[in-house]
């Protein structure tokens, strides 16, 4: 089993779908073969994620998701080894705009982002590769595209929140 901690930033309204996030993330982690992972997810607004993006990536703009990989291992009171996998921040306004722009449901876009974030925490990266509106992949190398291809396969297999 994994521990998933979910929070909503102070200036962000609590989404109605929030209680569906943890069970969906458990399914993703099971699909990825991850066990004894701790992950935190923060839902925030554009100014909050823009500040994170500027501070940690030197990009002064909002984005839909940021992942901060940790990887620290530690034992709990019973001696079970845990991995502090890292933190994920998702901008609710940006992901909602992206869903409309891509012509997909909000549920699908959120599910895609959760998979995306967990793949990053697993050590994967997509470089300059990205997904186009027609769901084709562009930019980056073939190796870069592997993460996005896996993301879409997991989404197809698990469905959405």
């Amino acid at each position: 089993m994994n521990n998933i901690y979910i929070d909503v930033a102070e200036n962000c309204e609590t989404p109605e779908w929030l209680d569906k996030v943890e069970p969906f993330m458990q399914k993703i982690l099971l699909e990825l073969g991850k066990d004894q992972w701790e992950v935190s997810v923060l839902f925030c607004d554009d100014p909050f994620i823009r500040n994170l993006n500027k501070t940690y990536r030197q990009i002064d703009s909002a984005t839909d998701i940021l992942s901060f990989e940790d990887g620290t291992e530690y034992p709990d009171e019973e001696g079970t080894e845990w991995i502090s996998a890292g933190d994920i921040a998702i901008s609710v306004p940006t992901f909602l705009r992206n869903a409309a722009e891509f012509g997909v449901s909000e549920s699908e876009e959120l599910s895609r982002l959760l998979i995306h974030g967990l793949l990053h925490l697993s050590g994967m990266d997509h470089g300059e590769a990205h997904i186009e509106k027609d769901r084709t992949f562009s930019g980056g190398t073939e190796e870069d595209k592997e993460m996005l291809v896996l993301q879409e396969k997991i989404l197809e297999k698990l469905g959405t929140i």
Side-chain angles (χ1 to χ4, degrees):
M1 195 56 150
N2 300 288
N3 290 328
I4 299 168
Y5 305 102
I6 299 168
D7 202 0
V8 178
E10 286 182 19
N11 51 353
C12 191
E13 193 173 309
T14 300
E16 62 189 40
W17 39 256
L18 194 66
D19 62 336
K20 297 177 181 177
V21 171
E22 191 269 340
F24 188 74
M25 290 184 74
Q26 290 287 1
K27 288 180 6 181
I28 299 166
L29 289 168
L30 181 65
E31 181 67 22
L32 294 174
K34 305 299 182 187
D35 194 28
Q36 305 307 121
W37 265 35
E38 287 190 341
V39 176
S40 71
V41 182
L42 176 69
F43 291 96
C44 59
D45 63 7
D46 283 347
F48 189 96
I49 207 161
R50 179 180 183 169
N51 185 50
L52 288 176
N53 208 16
K54 185 176 181 182
T55 301
Y56 295 100
R57 298 180 63 223
Q58 292 70 55
I59 298 173
D60 190 13
S61 64
T63 187
D64 51 3
I65 184 170
L66 291 172
S67 301
F68 301 93
E69 190 177 350
D70 182 351
T72 305
E73 295 183 30
Y74 69 93
D76 66 12
E77 309 81 42
E78 290 86 37
T80 304
E81 286 293 321
W82 285 87
I83 297 173
S84 176
D87 307 306
I88 297 170
I90 295 176
S91 171
V92 175
T94 298
F95 105 71
L96 294 175
R97 282 192 305 274
N98 287 351
E101 182 180 326
F102 282 108
V104 299
S105 70
E106 294 171 3
S107 175
E108 180 180 332
E109 189 63 13
L110 176 58
S111 300
R112 180 174 284 107
L113 288 179
L114 293 170
I115 295 165
H116 189 91
L118 289 173
L119 289 174
H120 273 305
L121 295 185
S122 298
M124 296 188 82
D125 192 19
H126 53 86
E128 298 299 316
H130 58 276
I131 300 176
E132 300 292 337
K133 286 183 183 181
D134 64 358
R135 294 290 163 223
T136 60
F137 306 104
S138 65
T141 66
E142 287 306 309
E143 185 176 291
D144 290 341
K145 293 174 187 171
E146 286 178 18
M147 176 185 165
L148 300 177
V149 169
L150 178 58
Q151 167 188 296
E152 296 304 299
K153 284 181 180 177
I154 293 170
L155 181 64
E156 186 178 321
K157 181 175 183 178
L158 298 181
T160 63
I161 285 182

